[in-house]
Amino acid sequence: VQLVESGGGLVEPGASLKLTCSMTGFTLSKFAMGWFRATYDKGFEWVSSISNGGLTTKYIDSAEGRFTISRDNVAKEVYLEISDLKPEDAGMYICAKGRADLYLTTNYRTPDRYDTWGQGTQVSVSS
């Protein structure tokens, strides 16, 4: 089982990015997926999750409608689009596979509800 993130970069405030999490070794359609981020000042925090079929999505409050998580179970990819990027959005964005019993009703923000992690893609926002 492997998760590989891509799409990060250094952008100016107000720009947009689309992060991609590509996976191998498991049937994506069976699992909820999430994005977390690691920053120096906030530590490790949950950002967004999507149910296995893509019908339910959850976002951190600071997303303010600027984040969109989606998935393509055929292509075995999960995406996180971020628009109107702000400096506080910066961090290492890490994709995670939910445990088999993870449903987006409770505890989906908790890292221990996920069992496989990618290495991350760095997002930097600066003018």
Side-chain angles (χ1 to χ4, degrees), residues 1-85:
V1 177
Q2 186 176 21
L3 305 178
V4 178
E5 301 91 337
S6 61
L10 171 62
V11 297
E12 294 185 347
S16 299
L17 282 176
K18 183 176 183 179
L19 310 182
T20 299
C21 176
S22 302
M23 55 213 66
T24 58
F26 66 98
T27 303
L28 178 59
S29 61
K30 294 184 177 180
F31 302 95
M33 298 292 294
W35 285 94
F36 290 74
R37 69 185 172 200
T39 64
Y40 287 113
D41 55 346
K42 300 177 185 176
F44 193 71
E45 64 180 348
W46 170 83
V47 174
S48 181
S49 294
I50 186 168
S51 61
N52 63 324
L55 296 181
T56 302
T57 57
K58 303 289 186 182
Y59 299 97
I60 191 171
D61 289 345
S62 61
E64 301 172 330
R66 300 180 296 111
F67 289 36
T68 303
I69 189 171
S70 60
R71 62 194 294 158
D72 184 334
N73 287 340
V74 175
K76 302 190 76 172
E77 293 182 336
V78 176
Y79 313 100
L80 183 67
E81 296 182 80
I82 311 173
S83 62
D84 190 22
L85 275 152

Side-chain angles (χ1 to χ4, degrees), residues 90-120:
M92 180 69 75
Y93 282 72
I94 303 164
C95 176
K97 170 184 162 290
R99 295 187 183 276
D101 60 351
L102 173 62
Y103 300 99
L104 301 195
T105 52
T106 184
N107 295 332
Y108 50 84
R109 297 179 179 87
T110 308
D112 66 5
R113 302 300 297 142
Y114 300 80
D115 59 12
T116 305
W117 301 81
Q119 293 192 334

